[in-house]
């Protein structure tokens, strides 16, 4: 259950990163509100998960999901540059996240 919270928190991290960009420096109301909601949700879920998980692997998985998700979202929906190196790098992040999750705490 704790790892599920980390995964959900990672997806919410993607949401707050995208909304941060769309807020244009907190000058647009709705993306700014969405940023705050996603950020609070992400940190809240991560906090709950850290009651049962070691901080290192959980934090690495959380940031990895957020970073990979944000990069993929940007390439698909925001016109970010797509390159082979970027796709390979995102794949390596995902592989690292899986490895950290598998090596994380079992309690």
């Amino acid at each position: 259950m704790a790892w599920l919270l980390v995964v959900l928190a990672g997806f919410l991290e993607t949401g707050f990163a995208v909304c941060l960009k769309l807020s244009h420096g907190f000058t647009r109301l709705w993306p700014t509100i969405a940023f705050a909601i996603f950020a609070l949700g992400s940190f809240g879920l991560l906090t709950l998960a850290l009651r049962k998980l070691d901080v290192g692997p959980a934090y690495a998985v959380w940031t990895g999901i957020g970073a990979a998700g944000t990069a993929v979202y940007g390439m698909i929906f925001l016109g970010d540059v797509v390159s082979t190196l970027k796709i390979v790098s995102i794949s390596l992040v995902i592989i690292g996240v899986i490895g950290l999750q598998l090596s994380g705490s079992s309690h």
Side-chain angles (χ1 to χ4, degrees):
M1 180 65 169
W3 279 114
L4 178 62
L5 293 177
V6 173
V7 170
L8 292 173
F11 286 124
L12 291 176
E13 184 187 0
T14 296
F16 82 68
V18 170
C19 288
L20 186 61
K21 176 175 177 57
L22 297 176
S23 77
H24 290 264
F26 301 123
T27 61
R28 293 185 174 166
L29 180 62
W30 294 113
T32 299
I33 290 170
F35 161 80
I37 292 167
F38 282 127
L40 287 172
S42 181
F43 287 113
L45 291 176
L46 180 63
T47 299
L48 292 174
L50 288 176
R51 291 179 178 174
K52 303 235 173 170
L53 299 174
D54 292 339
V55 69
Y59 183 76
V61 168
W62 177 69
T63 57
I65 291 170
T70 303
V72 169
Y73 187 94
M75 288 187 291
I76 293 172
F77 298 107
L78 301 177
D80 290 358
V81 174
V82 179
S83 70
T84 302
L85 181 57
K86 189 180 279 189
I87 292 169
V88 169
S89 298
I90 291 169
S91 299
L92 291 171
V93 168
I94 293 168
I95 290 167
V97 164
I98 292 168
L100 284 167
Q101 197 273 347
L102 293 174
S103 71
S105 106
S106 60
H107 55 97

